[in-house]
Amino acid sequence: MFGGEGVERVSLRQFEYALAVAEAGSVTAAAEVLRVAQPSVSQQIRGLERELGVALFSRTPTGLVPTAAGRAFLREAEVAVSAARRAKATARAGAEELEGELVVAAQMGLGTRQLPGALSALRRRFPRLEITVFEEANLAELERLSRRGVVDLALMAGPCEDGLYAGHHLGDEEFVVVTTPERAQVAADRVELRALEREPWIRFDQDSALDGVLREVLRDNGLAPTTVARVSQTATAVRWAAHGLGVTLVPTSAVPPGYEGLTRPVSPAVSIPTVVAVRPGAGPAEAALLEFLRQEVWHRAGDVGAGPGAGSEPAHNWVAPPSTANSAPVV
């Protein structure tokens, strides 16, 4: 689609400018993000389209929108820019010094307590490293970004697919039910799932991995409770449950500080493996972050104040862990 000798003259800066315009929706907004003059962005985009021989953007009432050719180009441009940043970081890496950008993605609900500490340690180790972290609710979208080479390291549940990334099993994350202070006072150390069938449930977006866990749990236990609300963040679900809107089921580490006393592990127990997926050819930043994550504690429900004896029953994995030993490669 982008044939022709002119393609060889396309610069990395033009890739970055095109990606910025696509993200911002206008040349003006992209120029502000890039901190350059608007005419410079316009000139680079026009030159890029001239070299490629296609129109990358269409003007609409809501702003600039990528054309079909533009979308195809932008997918490859994103991969190229990410690779260039990694190459730059590697080239500048010295003894205890590293520059560039590290892109980290986390499946929503995983590593909520552990990831900040590991990232802080990484920043102390490499103070000049730029770290970008985003949380993704949809596991399919997380895998899509990984396949495109956008993500350097991902925190996810279950094994890596297609052999694209090397997986390291950190531990198993047990889920807990969150209820109100009044109910928590009389709740057992471990709550039977069937006892919650008549409770209204606070759930997550339907395409999220967390709601996928809950769907499987409810189906396997023959439960069909009422859904009272759907939310996008685990902290919101916990707070709404604490205020009496309903109950919710979240990973232990996703419970915000101060709400641990409102949680109880469930029976049958529910847990998922937590895996770090590292791209092939990883550099010193990815290796260091993996090591810092290995040093974190990966909780079972009884470890964070779920009540006496709460961790006495072994958790039954909702997804079979890819390895029986922490940090063992899984692909």
Side-chain angles (χ1 to χ4, degrees):
M1 182 176 293
F2 305 111
E5 296 180 358
V7 176
E8 297 178 0
R9 295 192 294 269
V10 173
S11 69
L12 185 63
R13 175 175 294 181
Q14 288 174 312
F15 284 0
E16 293 173 334
Y17 281 20
L19 289 168
V21 171
E23 177 73 20
S26 74
V27 172
T28 301
E32 292 178 357
V33 172
L34 295 167
R35 297 182 180 180
V36 298
Q38 178 180 336
S40 176
V41 178
S42 298
Q43 182 179 0
Q44 291 288 347
I45 297 300
R46 285 196 301 269
L48 179 58
E49 292 179 324
R50 186 165 55 249
E51 292 289 347
L52 297 175
V54 296
L56 297 178
F57 297 96
S58 296
R59 188 174 296 279
T60 72
T62 58
L64 294 179
V65 176
T67 63
R71 289 193 295 272
F73 171 80
L74 291 167
R75 284 195 294 268
E76 301 303 325
E78 190 169 19
V79 173
V81 169
S82 296
R85 288 172 177 170
R86 287 195 292 265
K88 182 179 178 181
T90 302
R92 291 184 175 180
E96 301 303 318
E97 233 183 82
L98 191 68
E99 289 186 15
E101 181 184 26
L102 181 73
V103 180
V104 179
Q107 183 178 323
M108 188 179 78
L110 295 184
T112 306
R113 291 178 181 239
Q114 299 92 340
L115 192 55
L119 289 172
S120 296
L122 183 67
R123 289 181 65 86
R124 290 192 296 271
R125 174 78 175 275
F126 301 118
R128 301 176 68 177
L129 181 67
E130 180 181 344
I131 305 171
T132 301
V133 185
F134 64 91
E135 190 176 52
E136 177 56 56
N138 189 327
L139 183 57
E141 176 65 14
L142 181 58
E143 292 174 348
R144 185 184 70 84
L145 293 173
S146 299
R147 285 194 296 270
R148 289 170 58 189
V150 176
V151 176
D152 296 310
L153 183 146
L155 195 63
M156 58 193 295
C160 307
E161 295 185 0
D162 301 327
L164 294 176
Y165 281 57
H168 302 266
H169 181 212
L170 297 176
D172 296 337
E173 183 81 16
E174 187 171 0
F175 280 65
V176 291
V177 66
V178 186
T179 185
T180 62
E182 294 76 19
R183 291 172 180 167
Q185 288 180 355
V186 298
D189 291 338
R190 187 173 286 272
V191 177
E192 293 285 338
L193 276 168
R194 291 192 176 279
L196 303 172
E197 182 172 16
R198 296 185 180 277
E199 297 288 344
W201 280 78
I202 301 168
R203 299 180 61 176
F204 299 95
D205 295 338
Q206 292 184 356
D207 61 350
S208 70
L210 283 183
D211 203 62
V213 173
L214 184 55
R215 282 196 304 270
E216 294 288 338
V217 168
L218 296 176
R219 184 195 65 189
D220 292 348
N221 288 274
L223 305 178
T226 301
T227 298
V228 68
R230 289 190 180 273
V231 298
S232 299
Q233 299 295 324
T234 52
T236 301
V238 171
R239 292 187 175 97
W240 286 12
H243 280 83
L245 184 62
V247 298
T248 193
L249 190 72
V250 297
T252 306
S253 294
V255 177
Y259 291 86
E260 297 91 341
L262 306 183
T263 68
R264 295 291 186 275
V266 294
S267 180
V270 179
S271 69
I272 57 175
T274 303
V275 172
V276 172
V278 183
R279 65 174 182 80
E286 292 93 325
L289 182 54
L290 171 60
E291 188 56 36
F292 289 136
L293 286 169
R294 284 172 170 168
Q295 295 171 15
E296 294 289 329
V297 176
W298 296 88
H299 298 291
R300 288 198 182 279
D303 296 334
V304 291
S312 58
E313 178 186 337
H316 302 292
N317 291 319
W318 171 72
V319 178
S323 169
T324 57
N326 283 1
S327 299
V330 297
V331 294

